[in-house]
Amino acid sequence: MGELLALSAAVFFGLTHFANGLLARRAEAMAIALIAQVGGSVFILMCLPLFPEARLDAASILWGAVSGIGTGVGVAFLYRAMSVGEFSVVVPVSDIAAVALPVLAAVVLFGAVRS
């Protein structure tokens, strides 16, 4: 079940980013990123009752907010790059950075990567 959910998430992320990248060629990329982030937040809040065992504490809300801000900034830069560059260049470079930067941050903040 986890694999199916991960695959579904990847498909929807890809479709959303592609569509929003096209839209960013016609409208302001920052506005599109903001609308996407707010829409995602509203969707998650609407789904919350489906998971009654989920608990919200201050730390969870704080980490969620930090994640949302970081994701929003990253998406804004992605959409801006997609609005002016070739998708076939922007998206692979963005994907590599999206993987490499968190790993680099983990190494810097928490020391050597553990296996």
Side-chain angles (χ1 to χ4, degrees):
M1 181 64 160
E3 293 85 0
L4 181 61
L5 289 173
L7 182 59
S8 299
V11 167
F12 285 113
F13 269 113
L15 290 173
T16 301
H17 288 320
F18 180 77
N20 287 341
L22 289 178
L23 189 58
R25 292 183 177 214
R26 292 176 171 64
E28 182 61 40
M30 291 291 201
I32 293 166
L34 178 65
I35 292 167
Q37 286 299 102
V38 170
S41 297
V42 169
F43 178 75
I44 291 299
L45 290 174
M46 288 175 23
C47 291
L48 198 55
L50 300 174
F51 302 95
E53 69 279 356
R55 63 180 178 86
L56 290 176
D57 57 8
S60 299
I61 293 170
L62 177 65
W63 281 112
V66 169
S67 173
I69 291 167
T71 301
V73 169
V75 164
F77 281 118
L78 173 65
Y79 294 165
R80 173 70 179 128
M82 291 171 80
S83 73
V84 296
E86 294 294 324
F87 281 29
S88 61
V89 174
V90 171
V91 174
V93 170
S94 170
D95 289 345
I96 290 169
V99 171
L101 289 177
V103 171
L104 180 63
V107 169
V108 169
L109 294 173
F110 303 113
V113 178
R114 297 178 223 178
S115 55

